[in-house]
Amino acid sequence: MADFRLARSVLAACHLARRQGLVLILTAVVAACSPIYRNHGYVPSDQDLAQVEIGRDTRETVGEKIGRPSTSGLLNDVGWFYVQSRFKTVGPREPQEIDRQVVAVTFTDKGVVENIARYGLEDGRVVELSRRVTQPNVKGLSFIQQLLGSFGRIQASDVLAR
């Protein structure tokens, strides 16, 4: 009778441990699937932008009031671009950009502020900056065919030193 009670208490303890383990695994799965948010970049606030006067401020005064951007006009340097993005990552999936703000401050040829514009993710479009695709030179030849194809082109004078 004592053995039966001991076995029953051991089974009850195993059942409790199994239930706790299942709860622990379920909690870990839920925690792994919770979204992670990351912010990249800097965009000045509307209050900071209100300090900049169009037609009066220059590059230097804009830099003092709202800071210098990480990006400026590449070809003719007519503007400064402040960019901030927010990404959401869920589990093992690739990050998804859920918000983007771009503030463009354009300058005249004399370096005076000409315009300030704010753009969002809905205003953007995908621009392909570089498309580096290498065309294959080998057309339908296997590795063995490529290897054996070079034997007839090698001459002894190419290999031997003079």
Side-chain angles (χ1 to χ4, degrees), residues 18-160:
R18 189 177 302 149
R19 180 177 286 167
Q20 288 175 346
L22 185 62
V23 168
L24 183 65
I25 290 172
L26 187 62
T27 304
V29 168
V30 169
C33 293
S34 63
I36 298 171
Y37 295 97
R38 292 179 302 149
N39 295 317
H40 294 277
Y42 161 74
V43 170
S45 66
D46 289 334
Q47 293 83 11
D48 293 339
L49 290 174
Q51 297 175 7
V52 177
E53 296 180 40
I54 296 175
R56 180 170 281 175
D57 280 317
T58 63
R59 291 178 192 269
E60 291 77 26
T61 58
V62 170
E64 291 171 4
K65 290 180 179 181
I66 61 175
R68 293 195 166 269
S70 59
T71 307
S72 62
L74 299 176
L75 297 177
N76 51 12
D77 199 27
V78 297
W80 287 358
F81 303 99
Y82 300 85
V83 182
Q84 181 179 24
S85 295
R86 183 169 173 85
F87 292 90
K88 176 182 176 183
T89 306
V90 179
R93 297 183 193 149
E94 86 176 65
Q96 178 184 10
E97 188 174 21
I98 58 173
D99 186 33
R100 180 189 317 134
Q101 294 292 318
V102 177
V103 172
V105 180
T106 55
F107 300 97
T108 63
D109 293 335
K110 295 181 181 180
V112 178
V113 175
E114 183 178 42
N115 190 22
I116 299 174
R118 183 181 293 269
Y119 303 100
L121 188 60
E122 63 279 355
D123 299 320
R125 62 180 178 183
V126 176
V127 177
E128 190 171 308
L129 296 177
S130 176
R131 204 171 164 250
R132 297 181 183 178
V133 177
T134 305
Q135 297 296 330
N137 288 334
V138 182
K139 296 179 177 108
L141 298 178
S142 69
F143 175 72
I144 301 295
Q145 289 172 328
Q146 294 173 38
L147 189 63
L148 294 177
S150 63
F151 279 123
R153 291 184 234 151
I154 299 175
Q155 298 178 1
S157 61
D158 295 335
V159 178
L160 298 175

Side-chain angles (χ1 to χ4, degrees), residues 1-16:
M1 187 71 163
D3 291 337
F4 179 72
R5 287 183 188 163
L6 179 64
R8 203 163 93 180
S9 64
V10 168
L11 284 176
C14 287
H15 183 68
L16 180 63

